[in-house]
Amino acid sequence: MMAVAAAPLPYPTTEARIRTIVEAELAAELSRRDRTRLRIDDQQWVYDLVGRVVGEEQQQASPPVTVDESERLWRRVFAAVTPLGPLAEHLADPDVEEVRINGTEACFVFKAGRRYTVPPPFADEARLVELVHWYTDGTPSSRLDRASPTVTMTLPEGSRLHAALSPPARPMSVTIRRHPSERFRNLGALAASGFLPHELIPFLEAAVTSRLNILVSGGAGAGKTTFMRVLARLIGSDERVVTIEDQAELHLWRELSDCISLEGRLSNTEGKGAITIQMLVHESLRMSPDRIVIGEVRGGEALDLLDAMNTGHPGSLSTIHADSPRETLPRLARLALRNAHAPRAESVMAEVVNTIDLVLHAGIVRPSTAPSHARTRRLTSVSFVAGPEGGQVAVRDLVTARASASEALCGVRVSAPSGRFR
């Protein structure tokens, strides 16, 4: 009987060879650093390593490859050797606003106001946990394990990550919400995107310059943080600003000449070490600020914010979750009443009336002629506080968005002010 020769092993592809070389060098480098896995602060040297190996391989290629082919190979290998995997392409896209991963079942990418369904990036949840550890490893307080099954953190480039293990989440959830500060540099850029009309720009600039106290209200994902960041850039260079957030997203300290950023912190597993927004508001008053900017008011710190606005810090800004302009100030009063030192409800409401000047309400527009997943962020109204009326705060619209047949909110109607600002 004749022996059958074994079939020759297939010659590895260029991408496979590069990946093998890179993985070997990564393993050696991690061993030198006495670590077993990569983390986010390794990203740059890993990216450079892949680029070097790709460049060396391409120099020997015949026929030579194009620059575009080389860059695609670079990105694919980088994604393969880091926990980012297929997510690397989405996170490298500057137009991607949010990524939602529902375990191994589904993944959604929000881009240019629309939700797109993309293939789940990983086939098992262990890879998802590895992705989260890529971000949390090396940080002083962020962790994800059975003792701490949820985590919220700000990523180095300013995005916000939230993850929840299964259980308590079913399936495991990872959400990365991006706040690209370079995307909308000024009110003109927001107007060009359709968020607000160009005619409103001089009014908004005057409102910030004249130090009106402004609340930016709206639902989740309506663009409140982005809008407030743009407004805060209008603050004069001779003014000292303190920003207060539970998770840093504004990053105004990188742009304004005299700005301090304060960030809250959750308690540790022993229930100690929490830094609340209310504590930070108190601390900010010791920093001699001209203005205070709060990322979002959601508790008893509302009373401290009102006090600060009334005691030498006019022109402060904050966002607040509310379904309508009319609901914004009653909600602010209810939050203030959660403060242990809050006076009677009537006194709180009077302070709201005497403190807040403008309510800028942002909403999400869903055009009836577009796919159901399409959405557009829009400034839906500009309102001023007219005073108490029947036991409530009277809010009058200066500008409201006009509805059309093809869009829930479209265009702008400007009405004459029926009141005046202080």
Side-chain angles (χ1 to χ4, degrees):
M1 180 179 239
M2 294 180 60
V4 179
L9 293 174
Y11 190 72
T13 64
T14 299
E15 183 171 338
R17 288 198 306 275
I18 292 174
R19 181 171 172 177
T20 299
I21 296 171
V22 169
E23 288 176 339
E25 294 201 27
L26 286 178
E29 180 62 26
L30 287 175
S31 177
R32 283 192 292 271
R33 299 187 182 201
D34 197 24
R35 287 199 273 118
T36 59
R37 61 192 185 198
L38 295 169
R39 59 195 191 196
I40 184 64
D41 53 7
D42 297 321
Q43 180 167 287
Q44 189 58 54
W45 70 262
V46 174
Y47 192 75
D48 293 341
L49 168 63
V50 175
R52 175 176 60 79
V53 177
V54 169
E56 293 171 352
E57 185 72 23
Q58 298 311 312
Q59 288 178 356
Q60 305 172 15
S62 180
V65 298
T66 66
V67 173
D68 288 344
E69 290 173 337
S70 180
E71 289 181 351
R72 286 195 294 269
L73 180 59
W74 189 342
R75 292 197 301 268
R76 287 199 304 270
V77 174
F78 175 76
V81 300
T82 64
L84 294 172
L87 281 181
E89 287 292 321
H90 300 306
L91 297 177
D93 187 342
D95 293 327
V96 169
E97 303 163 357
E98 187 171 339
V99 178
R100 300 175 184 172
I101 309 171
N102 299 347
T104 60
E105 306 299 321
C107 182
F108 305 98
V109 170
F110 287 80
K111 183 177 178 180
R114 296 191 175 188
R115 186 178 80 165
Y116 297 90
T117 302
V118 299
F122 306 116
D124 62 88
E125 290 192 352
R127 289 290 306 278
L128 263 181
V129 174
E130 185 180 354
L131 169 69
V132 178
H133 287 164
W134 158 263
Y135 291 112
T136 59
D137 284 0
T139 61
S141 57
S142 298
R143 53 183 287 196
L144 184 73
D145 51 37
R146 285 303 168 193
S148 181
T150 64
V151 64
T152 301
M153 64 178 295
T154 301
L155 305 186
E157 85 287 358
S159 302
R160 184 178 66 192
L161 177 142
H162 178 270
L165 289 175
S166 173
R170 296 185 186 277
M172 180 179 174
S173 167
V174 176
T175 304
I176 300 175
R177 188 174 179 185
R178 307 175 74 185
H179 293 276
S181 59
E182 297 300 319
R183 187 175 180 188
F184 299 108
R185 290 298 307 169
N186 50 45
L187 291 173
L190 284 177
S193 73
F195 181 80
L196 55 85
H198 286 277
E199 293 79 3
L200 268 181
I201 293 178
F203 173 81
L204 294 173
E205 290 175 339
V208 175
T209 303
S210 58
R211 303 187 62 138
L212 298 184
N213 291 321
I214 299 173
L215 278 183
V216 179
S217 64
K224 300 186 298 298
T225 300
T226 297
F227 186 28
M228 188 170 70
R229 182 191 297 117
V230 172
L231 291 175
R233 288 178 179 144
L234 300 172
I235 297 173
S237 59
D238 60 339
E239 297 184 72
R240 181 171 175 82
V241 179
V242 176
T243 66
I244 301 170
E245 302 172 89
D246 57 353
Q247 293 289 327
E249 295 174 342
L250 293 171
H251 303 292
L252 290 170
W253 62 272
R254 298 174 178 172
E255 305 180 39
L256 303 183
S257 59
D258 189 0
C259 180
I260 298 294
S261 172
L262 299 178
E263 185 176 1
R265 185 178 68 191
L266 296 175
S267 59
N268 58 24
T269 54
E270 298 175 351
K272 300 178 180 179
I275 301 176
T276 66
I277 299 298
Q278 189 170 348
M279 293 167 59
L280 294 178
V281 173
H282 291 165
E283 291 300 317
S284 71
L285 298 177
R286 300 182 176 95
M287 298 179 176
S288 303
D290 294 299
R291 307 197 197 209
I292 298 173
V293 177
I294 296 185
E296 182 184 346
V297 60
R298 60 178 67 176
E301 70 274 3
L303 182 63
D304 302 288
L305 174 65
L306 291 171
D307 288 342
M309 289 176 170
N310 267 325
T311 54
H313 308 91
S316 295
L317 301 98
S318 179
T319 73
I320 185 172
H321 275 275
D323 293 333
S324 70
R326 303 294 181 273
E327 171 60 21
T328 299
L329 297 186
R331 174 166 167 74
L332 180 66
R334 291 195 299 272
L335 293 175
L337 287 170
R338 296 181 185 178
N339 193 304
H341 304 289
R344 294 184 306 169
E346 296 82 359
S347 299
V348 170
M349 191 61 73
E351 188 165 1
V352 169
V353 170
N354 293 327
T355 302
I356 304 301
D357 296 306
L358 278 184
V359 176
L360 310 179
H361 190 77
I364 296 177
V365 176
R366 300 184 185 274
S368 58
T369 58
S372 59
H373 57 261
R375 61 180 190 173
T376 303
R377 297 177 178 91
R378 188 73 52 84
L379 179 65
T380 62
S381 68
V382 176
S383 309
F384 73 98
V385 181
E389 186 177 279
Q392 297 294 324
V393 180
V395 178
R396 300 281 186 266
D397 291 334
L398 289 170
V399 177
T400 57
R402 181 186 302 161
S404 74
S406 61
E407 192 176 64
L409 290 168
C410 177
V412 171
R413 169 173 54 81
V414 180
S415 58
S418 56
R420 59 187 177 86
F421 297 117
R422 295 190 303 275

